[in-house]
Amino acid sequence: LQVGVYNKVPLDGREFCVADAKSVKVRAEDGRAVSSVDISPFINNLPFGKGTTCFSTEDASGSTSQAANIVEALEVGATSLLIDEDTCATNFMIRDDKMMELVAKEKEPITPFIHKIRSLYEDHDVSSVLVIGGSGDYFDVADCVVMLDSYQCHDVTARAKQISSSAAASSGPSHVASSSQPFGTILSRCPVTDAYKPNNKVAVRAKSIISYG
C-alpha cells in the first residue's frame, strides 16, 4: 500500500494494489529533527512546562517523532495514514487500562494515537490503515478488520467487534484504553527553502533516497 501511490508497469500485477495519492506511510524516527510543529494533539505536560504547540528539537524521541510525522503529513494535506505497528513507538500507539490506573493522566505527556484515530476520521476525513499484531484495543475503534492467514485476506470485523464488546463488558466502566478524544486543529504548512538545513544529519537510505535534516 505504501508504494501504491506510484504508477506501475501495466500487467505486472502491482497495478491492482493502489492507494490514494495523498496517502502517507508514518513511523517513529528516533533522533530526527523537528522544527516548529504543533504536536499538542498527542504530546503535552512536558517537564519544566515546555510547550508543544510550536515544538522544536534536534533529537526527537520515538513517540515525539511519530507525533511530528503525523502532524506534518496532515499539514500538507494527507488524507490517509499507513501505519505498521512494528515501526511505531509503543507508548505512542496504546496505553492499557492498568497503566492508566497506575500513572495519572496529568502525569503522562502522551495521548496515544488510539484516542485520536476516530476523531481524526470523523472530524477531518483522514483515514488510517494499521498493520497490527499486538494491540487488540484497536478493535474498538476499527471500521474494518482484515486478518491475513497464509497470505489470504479474511474479513473478521464481526468477530473482532464481538471480542471487543466482550472485553469492554468484563472491564466495566473503567475500560478507557480506546476512548475517543477530539483531535484538535490541523494547521496548514508550506515548506520554504530556508528551512532545509542539514544540521549534520544527512543519511543515504537507498540509491534514490536521502534523509536530510
Side-chain angles (χ1 to χ4, degrees), residues 73-119:
L74 298 175
E75 287 178 345
V76 296
T79 57
S80 300
L81 302 177
L82 309 178
I83 300 174
D84 187 340
E85 182 184 55
D86 287 348
T87 57
C88 292
T90 301
N91 59 341
F92 178 82
M93 296 298 291
I94 188 73
R95 289 181 72 225
D96 63 22
D97 291 329
K98 296 183 184 68
M99 189 60 70
M100 288 186 174
E101 186 173 348
L102 178 65
V103 182
K105 183 178 180 180
E106 60 271 16
K107 299 292 185 180
E108 172 55 55
I110 302 172
T111 300
F113 186 63
I114 194 170
H115 294 297
K116 300 286 188 171
I117 191 171
R118 286 304 313 176
S119 57

Side-chain angles (χ1 to χ4, degrees), residues 15-181:
E15 72 269 23
F16 296 108
C17 185
V18 298
D20 184 271
K22 294 184 178 181
S23 298
V24 176
K25 170 67 165 61
V26 175
R27 59 169 297 161
E29 291 183 275
D30 301 58
R32 65 152 288 190
V34 177
S35 180
S36 303
V37 180
D38 181 3
I39 59 172
S40 61
F42 301 108
I43 312 291
N44 285 286
N45 304 324
L46 290 180
F48 309 111
K50 186 175 182 179
T52 58
T53 57
C54 189
F55 183 81
S56 298
T57 180
E58 294 295 324
D59 188 14
S61 66
S63 55
T64 303
S65 65
Q66 189 167 351
N69 285 342
I70 289 177
V71 172
E72 288 171 340
L74 298 175
E75 287 178 345
V76 296
T79 57
S80 300
L81 302 177
L82 309 178
I83 300 174
D84 187 340
E85 182 184 55
D86 287 348
T87 57
C88 292
T90 301
N91 59 341
F92 178 82
M93 296 298 291
I94 188 73
R95 289 181 72 225
D96 63 22
D97 291 329
K98 296 183 184 68
M99 189 60 70
M100 288 186 174
E101 186 173 348
L102 178 65
V103 182
K105 183 178 180 180
E106 60 271 16
K107 299 292 185 180
E108 172 55 55
I110 302 172
T111 300
F113 186 63
I114 194 170
H115 294 297
K116 300 286 188 171
I117 191 171
R118 286 304 313 176
S119 57
L120 187 58
Y121 174 68
E122 294 169 357
D123 298 340
H124 299 287
D125 296 323
V126 177
S127 299
S128 300
V129 179
L130 281 69
V131 177
I132 284 181
S135 302
D137 279 327
Y138 275 91
F139 293 168
D140 301 354
V141 296
D143 291 312
C144 180
V145 180
V146 176
M147 183 175 70
L148 192 65
D149 184 2
S150 300
Y151 299 102
Q152 297 292 317
C153 292
H154 303 274
D155 187 342
V156 294
T157 306
R159 176 57 179 152
K161 290 300 184 182
Q162 182 183 35
I163 293 171
S164 175
S165 297
S166 298
S170 61
S171 298
S174 63
H175 182 69
V176 294
S178 60
S179 59
S180 182
Q181 298 178 17

